[in-house]
Amino acid sequence: MQALFEVDTAHHQPDASIRGRLEESPIPPEGEIFCRELLYGVLEHQLVLDAMIQRFAPEWPIAQMAPVDRNILRLAAYEIVFEKGVPPKVAINEAVELAKTFGGDSSPRFVNGVLGTLLARKQDLPIASMNSAPSPAATTAGMGDTLDQRGSVGRAN
């Protein structure tokens, strides 16, 4: 989450950000791989993730959200929607704990509410195939767009 926050707010390169965080707090190689997959997965799908978050937090434009909250939501939304190996409730619990540690007083409740709604309404999202990560075309799809099984973008009716 810290590397994602750094890329978002300071506009540092992802490689340098993740490398710096891992040098500060070394973890086993499997953990490093997982961290890199999360960082690059969120960055690859950021437009789609932001559109989902905006749908479930319409009173809080993405650009006006606290940067910590925004990046916690992106990370957890990625895990809920695209990452098969993380149970959604675990992703939400971890996000709430991150919000307690790094966010403001209202962050845990806000993060829990947005992610709980996302999970409850996941089947309503306009991405046709949630069981696999979408093609790069998904990163340019808007909320009014759908992705078919091949990852092709089309307008929803």
Side-chain angles (χ1 to χ4, degrees):
M1 199 285 294
Q2 291 173 320
L4 187 59
F5 178 87
E6 185 177 321
V7 170
D8 182 39
T9 60
H11 307 288
H12 291 166
Q13 291 299 311
D15 285 336
S17 295
I18 193 77
R19 187 173 44 251
R21 299 302 64 75
L22 292 171
E23 287 172 1
E24 286 177 6
S25 303
I27 57 175
E30 309 81 48
E32 281 191 30
I33 291 167
F34 183 66
C35 286
R36 289 177 192 280
E37 287 173 355
L38 289 178
L39 174 64
Y40 289 106
V42 169
L43 294 175
E44 179 180 350
H45 301 295
Q46 184 173 325
L47 293 176
V48 170
L49 295 168
D50 285 356
M52 283 187 271
I53 293 164
Q54 191 63 74
R55 179 175 179 178
F56 299 120
E59 288 82 32
W60 290 96
I62 291 290
Q64 293 178 9
M65 280 182 195
V68 168
D69 296 351
R70 176 174 59 233
N71 286 289
I72 291 171
L73 288 169
R74 285 172 176 160
L75 182 61
Y78 174 79
E79 288 181 303
I80 292 167
V81 176
F82 297 113
E83 185 65 41
K84 295 179 192 176
V86 179
K89 292 189 181 204
V90 171
I92 293 172
N93 288 337
E94 290 176 354
V96 169
E97 290 303 314
L98 285 170
K100 287 178 184 176
T101 301
F102 296 105
D105 291 341
S106 62
S107 294
R109 186 175 33 206
F110 176 66
V111 165
N112 188 55
V114 173
L115 295 175
T117 303
L118 185 151
L119 180 59
R121 300 190 50 207
K122 180 178 169 183
Q123 71 278 359
D124 298 335
L125 295 173
I127 299 175
S129 176
M130 290 294 196
N131 293 330
S132 62
S135 70
T139 61
T140 60
M143 286 306 290
D145 295 337
T146 59
L147 295 175
D148 64 19
Q149 295 292 338
R150 297 177 315 268
S152 299
V153 179
R155 293 301 298 170
N157 295 331

